[in-house]
């Protein structure tokens, strides 16, 4: 059977990708952020999965705002990097894993999650920046095939934290029921606290972020109990992206081991966090 070997939660701030693409990672304003990634990158380089699943949201680049599914999953053989208005990022297109994708679609629909299925999809910074956080120098290809799992976090009503955690648990069961021997990494992206518009533009809540970082490991049910309104009040209108971390966490075992975490303020107008977890707690690091 397939198994989830690790989970990676990370912000997907577009300026993080821009800093990497433009060689700015050693600049004083960015160095601490990228230094905080280094331990996770070193560990991940030694634990490459057969397939990765990236839980992310599109920013009206791969899909139109007239059509925003609550949840969607890609089944393509290849996903092109989207041009977000200033040219494509200089990173490789993404190779998919249709066999696992189609298995996940069936299993998740059978569990009551009526997914939108994407046979073609361009992926934007919400997808590529987390891949760059994982693999800063991919060369001609990312380390493994990658499956996109889209979540609506931009149009009301977004799925609840509880529904996302339940989807993650169903995703974990679906992965484990795959008949092939595959190792899988799951990335939950977005956040942390931030608000980009309105009277609270620039809002960041470090106290809430640190609570979230601790509870995502030890008490995800506490986070899943938060309402949509509570999340927006505490994390900002865009901070609701954190529900995608709960999908990653739900796909993992109840007991996990934190490999590394770091927190940086601000990355652009956003609190940026990273948390890496080993799902094989009975095995040596």
């Amino acid at each position: 059977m397939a198994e989830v070997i690790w989970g990676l939660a990370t912000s997907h701030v577009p300026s993080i990708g821009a800093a990497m693409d433009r060689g700015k990672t050693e600049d004083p304003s960015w160095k601490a952020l990228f230094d905080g990634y280094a331990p996770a990158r070193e560990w991940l380089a030694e634990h490459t999965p057969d397939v990765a699943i990236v839980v992310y949201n599109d920013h009206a680049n791969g899909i139109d705002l007239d059509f925003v599914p609550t949840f969607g999953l890609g089944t393509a053989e290849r996903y092109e990097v989207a041009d977000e208005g200033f040219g494509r990022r200089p990173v490789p297109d993404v190779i998919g894993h249709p066999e696992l994708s189609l298995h996940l679609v069936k299993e998740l629909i059978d569990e009551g999650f009526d997914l939108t299925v994407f046979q073609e999809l361009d992926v934007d910074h919400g997808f590529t920046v987390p891949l760059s956080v994982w693999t800063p120098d991919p060369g001609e290809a990312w380390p493994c095939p990658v499956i996109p799992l889209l979540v609506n976090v931009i149009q009301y009503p977004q799925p609840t934290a509880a529904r996302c955690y339940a989807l993650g648990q169903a995703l974990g069961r679906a992965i484990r029921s795959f008949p092939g021997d595959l190792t899988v990494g799951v990335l939950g992206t977005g956040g942390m606290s931030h608000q980009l518009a309105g009277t609270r533009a620039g809002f960041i809540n470090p106290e809430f972020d640190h609570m979230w970082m601790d509870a995502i490991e030890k008490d995800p049910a506490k986070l899943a109990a938060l309402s949509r309104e509570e999340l927006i009040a505490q994390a900002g209108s865009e901070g609701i992206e954190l529900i995608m971390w709960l999908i990653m966490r739900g796909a993992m075992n109840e007991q996990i081991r934190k490999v590394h975490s770091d927190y940086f303020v601000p990355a652009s107008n956003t609190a940026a966090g990273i948390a890496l977890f080993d799902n094989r707690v009975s095995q040596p690091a």
Side-chain angles (χ1 to χ4, degrees), residues 48-60:
T48 302
D50 297 314
V51 187
I53 298 170
V54 175
V55 184
Y56 82 110
N57 69 284
D58 179 78
H59 301 78

Side-chain angles (χ1 to χ4, degrees), residues 76-242:
E77 293 184 357
R78 186 182 189 91
Y79 306 93
E80 293 188 0
V81 175
D83 182 344
E84 301 186 45
F86 41 85
R88 289 168 38 116
R89 288 193 63 212
V91 295
D93 287 337
V94 177
I95 303 303
H97 197 293
E99 184 181 7
L100 179 58
S101 290
L102 291 168
H103 172 81
L104 296 178
V105 167
K106 175 192 176 297
E107 294 299 314
L108 292 173
I109 288 176
D110 286 352
E111 289 226 28
F113 292 92
D114 297 327
L115 304 172
T116 298
V117 179
F118 289 91
Q119 299 181 58
E120 295 181 2
L121 181 66
D122 291 349
V123 291
D124 69 3
H125 70 268
F127 190 94
T128 64
V129 168
L131 291 181
S132 294
V133 170
W134 167 14
T135 305
D137 299 303
E140 297 298 316
W142 298 108
C144 66
V146 187
I147 296 171
L149 198 168
L150 293 87
V151 181
N152 168 35
V153 299
I154 61 175
Q155 286 192 346
Y156 183 88
Q158 302 92 337
T160 63
R163 186 65 170 162
C164 288
Y165 188 44
L167 173 58
Q169 292 171 317
L171 177 64
R173 291 190 291 271
I175 292 168
R176 292 190 294 273
S177 69
F178 183 73
D181 291 327
L182 292 177
T183 55
V184 179
V186 181
L187 292 84
T189 75
M192 299 185 84
S193 64
H194 64 299
Q195 180 152 329
L196 303 180
T199 58
R200 292 203 307 168
F203 173 79
I204 289 175
N205 187 348
E207 182 179 357
F208 177 84
D209 291 337
H210 287 296
M211 180 281 294
W212 186 281
M213 192 83 78
D214 181 68
I216 198 72
E217 175 191 2
K218 301 172 183 175
D219 192 7
K222 171 184 175 181
L223 304 179
L226 293 171
S227 70
R228 187 184 297 113
E229 293 73 21
E230 288 171 322
L231 270 170
I232 291 173
Q234 292 295 317
S237 54
E238 281 74 31
I240 197 172
E241 292 171 350
L242 286 166

